Amino acid sequence: MCALHSRRKGYDLNTLLQVANASALVAGVYAYRIAGGNDYVDVTTLYAACVLGLSNVVMLRYERRRKDPFIVILVTMTVLFHVVRVATLFAFPWSQLMDEVGTGPHEVTRAMIFIASGNLAMFAGFAMAERRAGAGVHHGPSSRRLPRPSRIVLMLVLSMILGQLVSSLGILGRVAGFVQATLLNTYFLVLIAVLYLSMCGRRLPRIYAGMIIGLVAFVFLKTVLGGSRAALLEVAVFGLIAVLVQDGRTRVGLKVLVVGLTLCVSSPFFYFTATYLREIPQGEERSLSLDAITSLEATAASSVPNRQVLFPRMFARLGYVDHVTAIMAGRAKYKEVVGIGYLIESTVDNVLSPGFDVFDRPKVALVLGSLYRGARQAPAKSALSVDEYGSEMMTVYGEAYLFFGYAGLIFLFVSAFAAKKVYLWYRSRHVFEVYAYRSLVLWGAYRWFSSYGMDWLLVEMMTAIIFFAAFREYCDWAGRSGPVILTEGRNVTAVTLPHSGVTP
């Protein structure tokens, strides 16, 4: 009875997503009634947003009956980066990308409809892969014992030290850089640490729980101070992935919900701080007063977006719709430069031939910016300077439309089907390994949804594969004498944990 009660504590994540979806649509309607249409959106865009919101409802109704972590991540990103963007375009009408390309409400509306269609295509792929995999579930004994928490802490500390030696001191050479990027990847180890903490719950000694939380917080703050404006989002995604890979309905406790809302409210301050530190010229002292952060006002000479322009720029940063709109509006021109042939050549240079180039092609995401600004051809990889080495997001929808047009919906269906198959493929008698593997696959899906290009994604996936292979060997070598998690003894591919939700 206690276990059942513990599973039912908190708010079902599916319900929270439905509330967020409806709230975003209401915010869009309200913003339209207050501000009216503008150069970016009008009432037809609002109708398209409602269609997108309805597609979210369809997917969430399915997910409530049959848990699907891919759908949860897809809907979460759709609400946050697409539905909300419509409301912010009414309230804060500014988009540098759409200004560069020269798009208006018609193009944004068309992009929203394509996004809704793409979501339904991927939903069909996920659902079909799940249905066909059901008959092949393997039943067998499973190990419920996790590695010692000291081993997790040790790996994370070693990766941070090695990363500091490589990046700051410039010693140990390329081999150390490869080890730090793959075998001891701090980014992936933070994800593993969050997963470990989620699985152990209160069974983990407080000293180790505090160490893991402290290390994750340290990496987060270090990333923000380094100028990253996506650190908060990455930590939130790690937490979401950690609970989604575990069986049972994902429930969000009141404390976690309050913390999450607090972080959302404080996100402008993180964005402002990271943006300020990014704008400081190399070699100058990086200092920012607490008063400047709390007032969202930097010095006049800093060129940092202060209060009056901060929110339009911040929402544009979260506006994935902008990128889809830009690609769809200029596809005929862009496709002449970065078509399928270019993608193949870029994959050869950036994935299959490390250390040397065959075609001298930069990744597609590094070329789009110059195309948006009117360039007629892609710059050579060897000709890109440090200042020009900036990437432009494509998103999964923009990439599919760029290479295949409306036939990209078929590409999305097939890719979603394959992704779900890969997620269900790995089996092991060790539950922690299965969840670690699935966490990396879900992270790959998250990166795919916010795609910077297939060539970019393949590099990240190869890194994740090498990391997981090394991590699995490390778990075998270090032993499994840590906490024992509770399961219902069904099978190793789907283990139910009483504390699988975020219920502190």
Side-chain angles (χ1 to χ4, degrees):
M1 178 67 68
C2 291
L4 180 62
H5 176 70
S6 122
R7 282 197 296 269
R8 291 181 177 175
K9 288 172 59 178
Y11 304 93
D12 187 89
L13 181 57
N14 185 291
T15 301
L16 293 177
L17 285 175
Q18 294 197 46
V19 172
N21 184 54
S23 300
L25 291 174
V26 170
V29 173
Y30 179 77
Y32 172 72
R33 293 192 62 181
I34 296 298
N38 52 58
D39 292 338
Y40 305 100
V41 286
D42 58 17
V43 67
T44 61
T45 314
L46 189 60
Y47 293 150
C50 291
V51 172
L52 182 57
L54 181 60
S55 70
N56 289 337
V57 172
V58 171
M59 291 188 288
L60 288 174
R61 287 180 65 87
Y62 171 88
E63 199 279 335
R64 183 179 290 278
R65 298 192 304 270
R66 191 182 185 99
K67 181 182 176 182
D68 191 315
F70 288 88
I71 291 177
V72 173
I73 293 178
L74 179 60
V75 172
T76 301
M77 296 182 67
T78 300
V79 172
L80 182 60
F81 301 125
H82 297 98
V83 181
V84 168
R85 180 54 175 158
V86 173
T88 61
L89 278 173
F90 281 117
F92 303 95
W94 183 84
S95 173
Q96 181 179 353
L97 180 57
M98 287 197 282
D99 286 343
E100 289 178 348
V101 177
T103 61
H106 173 73
E107 289 78 15
V108 177
T109 300
R110 190 163 69 106
M112 295 290 290
I113 295 297
F114 186 77
I115 292 169
S117 303
N119 279 358
L120 293 177
M122 288 188 285
F123 163 57
F126 295 140
M128 183 171 294
E130 178 78 26
R131 187 178 301 112
R132 295 198 172 190
V137 174
H138 169 72
H139 292 263
S142 62
S143 172
R144 300 173 297 175
R145 187 173 290 277
L146 276 60
R148 281 180 175 272
S150 58
R151 305 294 191 267
I152 303 298
V153 172
L154 176 63
M155 286 192 73
L156 192 53
V157 171
L158 284 177
S159 71
M160 294 167 62
I161 294 175
L162 185 58
Q164 186 69 22
L165 290 175
V166 173
S167 62
S168 298
L169 303 182
I171 63 176
L172 303 179
R174 288 187 176 183
V175 174
F178 173 80
V179 172
Q180 194 272 334
T182 55
L183 310 184
L184 286 173
N185 188 299
T186 303
Y187 186 79
F188 291 146
L189 284 172
V190 170
L191 172 59
I192 296 298
V194 173
L195 171 66
Y196 188 89
L197 188 64
S198 174
M199 292 179 67
C200 291
R202 295 177 181 176
R203 300 178 190 84
L204 187 64
R206 290 186 177 180
I207 184 172
Y208 287 112
M211 292 175 68
I212 292 176
I213 294 174
L215 288 170
V216 172
F218 176 79
V219 173
F220 164 72
L221 291 176
K222 184 174 181 293
T223 305
V224 171
L225 295 177
S228 173
R229 293 174 290 190
L232 181 61
L233 175 63
E234 296 295 334
V235 172
V237 169
F238 284 175
L240 178 62
I241 289 174
V243 295
L244 287 178
V245 296
Q246 304 173 41
D247 266 13
R249 298 301 310 173
T250 302
R251 308 188 72 85
V252 181
L254 181 59
K255 292 181 180 179
V256 172
L257 186 60
V258 170
V259 170
L261 293 175
T262 302
L263 290 176
C264 289
V265 172
S266 61
S267 59
F269 302 103
F270 289 115
Y271 179 85
F272 173 81
T273 303
T275 303
Y276 183 91
L277 295 174
R278 284 169 68 102
E279 296 292 336
I280 297 179
Q282 197 73 16
E284 293 189 12
E285 183 180 355
R286 293 193 167 201
S287 61
L288 181 62
S289 67
L290 180 62
D291 181 65
I293 296 175
T294 54
S295 64
L296 300 178
E297 294 287 347
T299 60
S302 67
S303 73
V304 174
N306 287 318
R307 183 192 302 271
Q308 64 271 21
V309 294
L310 172 68
F311 289 99
R313 295 195 181 187
M314 184 178 70
F315 288 129
R317 172 79 174 176
L318 296 174
Y320 291 9
V321 173
D322 302 30
H323 300 273
V324 184
T325 302
I327 290 178
M328 292 186 68
R331 181 193 180 234
K333 178 175 61 176
Y334 307 146
K335 191 174 182 294
E336 295 178 358
V337 181
V338 287
I340 296 293
Y342 184 97
L343 178 62
I344 294 174
E345 293 175 356
S346 173
T347 301
V348 171
D349 279 350
N350 297 288
V351 182
L352 303 180
S353 57
F356 64 94
D357 295 323
V358 178
F359 302 101
D360 201 17
R361 295 295 197 185
K363 298 185 182 75
V364 174
L366 300 175
V367 174
L368 285 177
S370 59
L371 297 183
Y372 291 155
R373 291 184 289 272
R376 295 295 183 181
Q377 60 183 7
K381 185 178 180 181
S382 57
L384 285 176
S385 66
V386 175
D387 294 336
E388 296 172 322
Y389 212 77
S391 55
E392 290 287 346
M393 180 183 294
M394 302 175 70
T395 80
V396 64
Y397 317 100
E399 183 176 36
Y401 189 84
L402 175 63
F403 294 127
F404 305 106
Y406 287 106
L409 297 175
I410 301 175
F411 168 78
L412 294 178
F413 167 80
V414 174
S415 300
F417 181 88
K420 190 63 173 289
K421 284 293 188 180
V422 171
Y423 179 81
L424 298 171
W425 168 77
Y426 182 77
R427 298 179 183 183
S428 169
R429 63 183 301 269
H430 299 292
V431 175
F432 183 59
E433 280 186 14
V434 175
Y435 287 165
Y437 168 83
R438 292 187 173 184
S439 295
L440 291 172
V441 175
L442 279 187
W443 172 82
Y446 158 73
R447 295 290 291 174
W448 179 50
F449 296 149
S450 57
S451 177
Y452 282 85
M454 197 60 66
D455 47 1
W456 197 300
L457 182 63
L458 286 174
V459 174
E460 294 178 326
M461 289 298 95
M462 288 184 66
T463 303
I465 291 171
I466 297 173
F467 169 83
F468 178 72
F471 179 76
R472 184 178 60 178
E473 294 301 319
Y474 174 81
C475 288
D476 287 338
W477 172 78
R480 305 173 191 277
S481 53
V484 177
I485 59 174
L486 301 179
T487 70
E488 295 181 356
R490 292 199 299 166
N491 55 76
V492 297
T493 60
V495 181
T496 302
L497 302 181
H499 297 284
S500 61
V502 188
T503 52

